[in-house]
Each structure stands twice: as structure tokens, then as C-alpha cells.
């Protein structure tokens, strides 16, 4: 089989790159093993949330300029501040076109409320999530109820409520917590493994007494004009939550639960549908195994389902993720990129892979593929002409500590799409 571009990995980076290429007239396929970090995400997109010294970043442009001086091998530094901002703005426009239903954005971070009652800087957030300006000013009086679901342990309203009360900006808020009793979920409560956000959402959509749920919501809110709920209401979008809000007359917001997260799953489904609608081919349940490389170019790719018949393309994009999705693999004393055996940023001394304090930034988070300014992957010190690396498989940055994982994914994905399309036009 022959394609214009073959993409390995169906997560945020792979799908974003594929959508851009497919919408520009290319014939693309995505090889996906079905596992994506999107399904476990909060639903918010971080572009650059924290400086290396731990200070929160409000102005993203300033943060990128500092980063370029301090970390020359960070993907943002290689690509360049101006290009990063251009690609970020391009993703915002794409998100609007695809109806990802996100807000804020621009060149400044805002604060999102976490399920534990903390505030975290971020770039884009779902419309249904409670967000605040950064820096946060003291907030006016409001009566807020944090409501969980009886028996659902992946969201703890009492903990969120008590932590929220410790923040001085919410001193004027009257905050209480409670639980919703929903009889339609009784069949799930007997097995904790089945009592998850996805199962709850499916049960509510298909076996729901809507009027009874609205009445239960009003009673549990106890006069509150704003309610925070776990993200369990609506598997494909937040329409169900908006319907509840309109009928109950209460301002409703949702917060991500422990994985799997409905907020991330919704985004994953939207992106996947957009890629397929544009004509892209999803090769689900498959894994890339090995490749043939000649004269600095990838010439063939073999997968678990196509071990004998080679998949060929003019361009290849590695969006296989990090250790979580096996884009990187570790033995006791080595780290490898298993498909192409690419050059990596990583410390060969295993004792330097981790920090002894769990809460500190972990060095292994920076491990990944070496790229150049065009995001071409490097092998034996040379850049491969038609192989690009995007997203979490790329090295040189700490997605968690710096709060830039989803930003690197979409920026590198769109940057690579531009490199491919410009090459086609040349």
C-alpha cells in the first residue's frame, strides 16, 4: 500500500498532523494501537505553564523567549518562538472549526480548577470546566455546591471542597458538598471496576429518568446557584450537561475524574472523526514493528498486521508517544526508540534516570528522539530526509514539569505538516 504520508500514532500529535495534511489534499494513514494519552487527559491544553525554576508563566511569549535562552534543545527553541506562536494560533482556529469547545487561549495562560481543588495555569480549557483569570483576584460572594455520585470513588467532592476553602481568593464563597443518588447506576455499584466515568455516562444516556435526575440535582444543590460535577454526563460532548443546566436553572461545570477521562475521550473522538471525514485511513489495532532505510530515507514500514507486505509513503511521521504508549522502550540500562532505532536524548547512566524525591522533576521525562528545526528525526548523527518526529516521542523537554506536553504535540504536528506540504509544492 502506498500513501503520501504514513503517521505512526493516533494521539493528539498524530491526529492533528493527519487532519492538516488530509485537509490539504494528501492521502494519509494513521497506524494506531488504540491507546492514546488523550483518553487520560484533563481536557485542557498546556502550551507552556511553568518555567524551569518552577515559577508559573502568565505571558507565554515571555516564557518562550526565556526558554530559548535557557534550553536551546527544547522543541520550542529549535522551532523558534515566532513559529511556535503561529502554530498555536493555527491550532486554536482548527479547534474552533472542529468544535472542540475550548476557551481562553491566545498568548496568556489562565487558571483551571483541578479535581483536588487546586488552581493550575493552562492555555486552552473545555468550555464546561471552571476557569479563572491569571492572576486571580478575590472573587465575589457565590454559593457553590460540589456534588459527587454515590459510590463513585474517582471524584471526591469533600476533598475538593475543603481544599478550595483554603484559597484566599474564594473566601467569600459559600462552598458545600454533597452526593447525587441516581438509581439507574445501582447495577454498576457492585463492581468498582465497572463504576467508571465511561460506564456512568453510557448508563445515564440510555437508562435515564431525566426529570428525576433534575430533581435530584436541585435537592442536592440545596439552593446553590453554581454546581461542580464530575465529568460523567455526556460521552461524546457536553450537550447533556447543557441540557441539565437549562432545565435545572443551575450553572453547571464539570471536572475531570481519575482516568479514563471523558473530557479527553471526547476530544479524541472529535479529532479521529475529523481525520476520517477528511478521507484519512485509520489502521486501528496495529503496531509498527520495523522499517527499511536507504540513503537517509525511510523506504518501507512493516507492522504487526502487515509483516510481509510493506507500507510505503513519501513521508513518515513518528507520533508514537513516550514510555506510556511504547514509543520509547527501556531495558534495565538502555532506552531505545524501537521502530527506527533513532538517536535519543537520554543519560546512559541509569542512576541519573530518576530523582530520589518523587515530587521533583524526573530526568527520564526529558528522554526522547533528537530532532532538528524541521522536526526531522536523527539516526547515527544524521537527519533522515523523510522521517519526522512529533509530540511526546521527541526529547529535550519535561512535559509535566514545564506544562507543555499538549502544546509540543500540536505545535510540532502542524510544523511538520507545513514542512511536508512545502516540500510537495517545491
Amino acid at each position: 500500500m502506498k500513501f503520501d504520508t504514513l503517521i505512526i500514532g493516533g494521539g493528539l500529535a498524530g491526529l492533528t498532523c493527519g487532519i492538516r495534511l488530509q485537509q490539504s489534499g494528501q492521502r494519509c494513514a494513521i497506524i494506531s494501537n488504540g491507546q492514546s494519552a488523550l483518553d487520560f487527559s484533563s481536557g485542557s491544553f498546556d502550551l507552556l505553564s511553568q518555567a524551569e525554576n518552577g515559577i508559573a508563566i502568565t505571558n507565554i511569549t515571555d516564557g518562550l523567549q526565556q526558554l530559548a535562552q535557557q534550553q536551546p534543545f527544547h522543541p520550542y527553541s529549535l522551532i523558534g518562538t515566532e513559529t511556535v506562536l503561529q502554530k498555536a494560533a493555527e491550532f486554536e482556529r482548527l479547534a474552533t472549526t472542529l468544535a472542540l469547545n475550548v476557551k481562553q487561549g491566545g498568548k496568556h495562560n489562565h487558571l483551571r480548577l483541578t479535581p483536588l481543588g487546586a488552581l493550575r495555569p493552562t492555555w486552552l480549557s473545555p468550555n464546561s470546566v471552571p476557569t479563572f483569570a491569571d492572576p486571580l483576584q478575590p472573587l465575589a460572594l457565590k454559593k457553590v455546591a460540589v456534588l459527587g455520585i454515590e459510590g463513585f470513588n474517582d471524584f471526591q467532592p469533600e476533598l475538593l471542597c475543603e481544599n478550595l476553602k483554603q484559597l484566599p481568593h474564594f473566601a467569600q464563597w459559600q462552598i458545600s458538598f454533597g452526593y447525587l443518588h441516581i438509581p439507574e447506576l445501582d447495577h454498576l455499584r457492585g463492581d468498582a471496576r465497572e463504576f467508571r466515568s465511561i460506564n456512568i455516562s453510557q448508563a445515564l444516556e440510555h437508562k435515564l429518568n431525566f426529570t428525576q435526575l433534575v430533581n435530584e440535582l436541585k435537592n442536592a444543590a440545596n439552593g446553590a446557584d453554581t454546581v461542580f460535577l464530575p465529568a460523567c454526563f455526556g460521552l461524546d460532548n457536553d450537550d447533556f450537561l447543557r441540557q441539565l443546566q437549562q432545565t435545572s436553572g443551575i450553572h453547571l461545570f464539570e471536572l475531570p475524574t481519575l482516568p479514563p477521562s471523558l473530557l479527553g475521550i471526547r476530544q479524541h473522538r472529535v479529532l479521529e472523526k475529523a481525520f476520517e471525514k477528511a478521507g484519512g485511513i485509520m489502521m486501528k489495532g496495529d503496531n509498527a514493528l520495523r522499517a527499511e532505510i536507504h540513503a537517509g530515507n525511510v523506504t518501507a514500514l512493516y507492522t504487526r498486521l502487515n509483516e510481509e507486505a510493506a507500507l510505503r509513503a513519501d513521508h513518515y511521521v513518528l507520533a508514537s508517544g513516550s514510555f506510556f504508549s511504547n514509543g520509547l522502550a527501556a531495558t534495565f540500562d538502555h532506552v531505545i526508540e524501537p521502530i527506527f532505532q533513532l538517536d535519543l536524548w537520554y543519560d546512559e547512566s541509569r542512576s541519573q534516570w530518576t530523582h530520589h524525591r518523587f515530587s521533583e522533576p524526573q530526568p527520564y521525562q526529558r528522554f526522547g528522539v533528537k530532532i532538528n528545526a524541521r522536526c526531522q528525526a536523527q539516526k547515527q548523527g544524521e537527519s533522515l530526509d523523510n522521517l519526522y518526529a512529533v509530540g511526546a516521542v521527541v526529547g529535550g523537554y519535561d512535559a509535566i514539569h514545564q506544562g507543555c506536553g499538549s502544546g509540543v504535540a500540536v505545535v510540532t504536528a502542524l510544523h511538520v505538516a507545513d514542512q511536508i506540504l512545502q516540500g510537495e509544492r517545491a
Side-chain angles (χ1 to χ4, degrees), residues 159-370:
L159 179 62
L160 189 156
C161 183
E162 291 305 313
N163 286 339
L164 205 56
K165 290 178 180 178
Q166 306 304 313
L167 300 175
H169 306 90
F170 299 93
Q172 297 300 312
W173 279 21
Q174 297 176 16
I175 310 170
S176 62
F177 72 92
Y179 292 88
L180 297 171
H181 173 65
I182 305 175
E184 287 84 357
L185 303 179
D186 287 345
H187 69 287
L188 296 175
R189 291 190 174 89
D191 187 348
R193 293 172 299 178
E194 296 296 324
F195 206 33
R196 293 289 183 261
S197 56
I198 294 177
N199 307 81
I200 291 172
S201 179
Q202 290 172 333
L204 292 179
E205 286 187 13
H206 299 293
K207 301 179 180 179
L208 179 70
N209 184 323
F210 187 77
T211 301
Q212 184 174 320
L213 177 60
V214 171
N215 291 334
E216 175 67 15
L217 180 62
K218 288 181 177 179
N219 291 334
N222 195 27
D225 51 32
T226 300
V227 167
F228 295 158
L229 295 166
C232 298
F233 300 86
L235 188 57
D236 292 317
N237 50 52
D238 62 2
D239 289 351
F240 185 74
L241 187 75
R242 295 304 121 212
Q243 186 181 359
L244 270 178
Q245 175 173 282
Q246 183 177 6
T247 307
S248 66
I250 301 172
H251 296 293
L252 301 180
F253 294 92
E254 56 185 350
L255 291 163
T257 65
L258 288 176
S261 165
L262 246 62
L263 293 169
I265 290 172
R266 290 172 189 166
Q267 293 168 347
H268 192 183
R269 290 187 173 192
V270 169
L271 291 169
E272 198 170 271
K273 288 179 181 177
F275 175 69
E276 292 181 313
K277 184 178 180 180
I281 298 174
M282 290 295 301
M283 297 181 174
K284 295 183 180 180
D286 203 358
N287 301 84
L289 300 179
R290 59 189 176 87
E292 293 177 357
I293 301 175
H294 296 289
N297 279 270
V298 179
T299 56
L301 186 69
Y302 297 87
T303 72
R304 183 175 57 83
L305 299 180
N306 295 277
E307 288 193 62
E308 303 301 328
L311 301 178
R312 302 183 188 278
D314 296 325
H315 307 278
Y316 299 80
V317 178
L318 183 64
S320 52
S322 187
F323 298 100
F324 173 79
S325 53
N326 298 319
L328 301 175
T331 63
F332 183 80
D333 55 359
H334 287 89
V335 176
I336 62 169
E337 185 284 307
I339 303 169
F340 302 95
Q341 289 75 51
L342 299 171
D343 297 347
L344 301 180
W345 289 111
Y346 94 99
D347 196 315
E348 295 186 2
S349 173
R350 192 183 192 283
S351 62
Q352 302 301 312
W353 291 6
T354 59
H355 192 284
H356 69 279
R357 288 182 60 87
F358 179 77
S359 59
E360 291 294 319
Q362 298 297 325
Y364 73 85
Q365 293 285 351
R366 298 179 184 270
F367 294 177
V369 172
K370 291 184 178 181

Side-chain angles (χ1 to χ4, degrees), residues 104-121:
Q104 306 286 351
K107 297 180 180 179
H108 289 80
N109 284 322
H110 61 274
L111 300 172
R112 68 174 177 90
L113 182 64
T114 74
L116 295 179
L119 293 171
R120 293 286 182 269

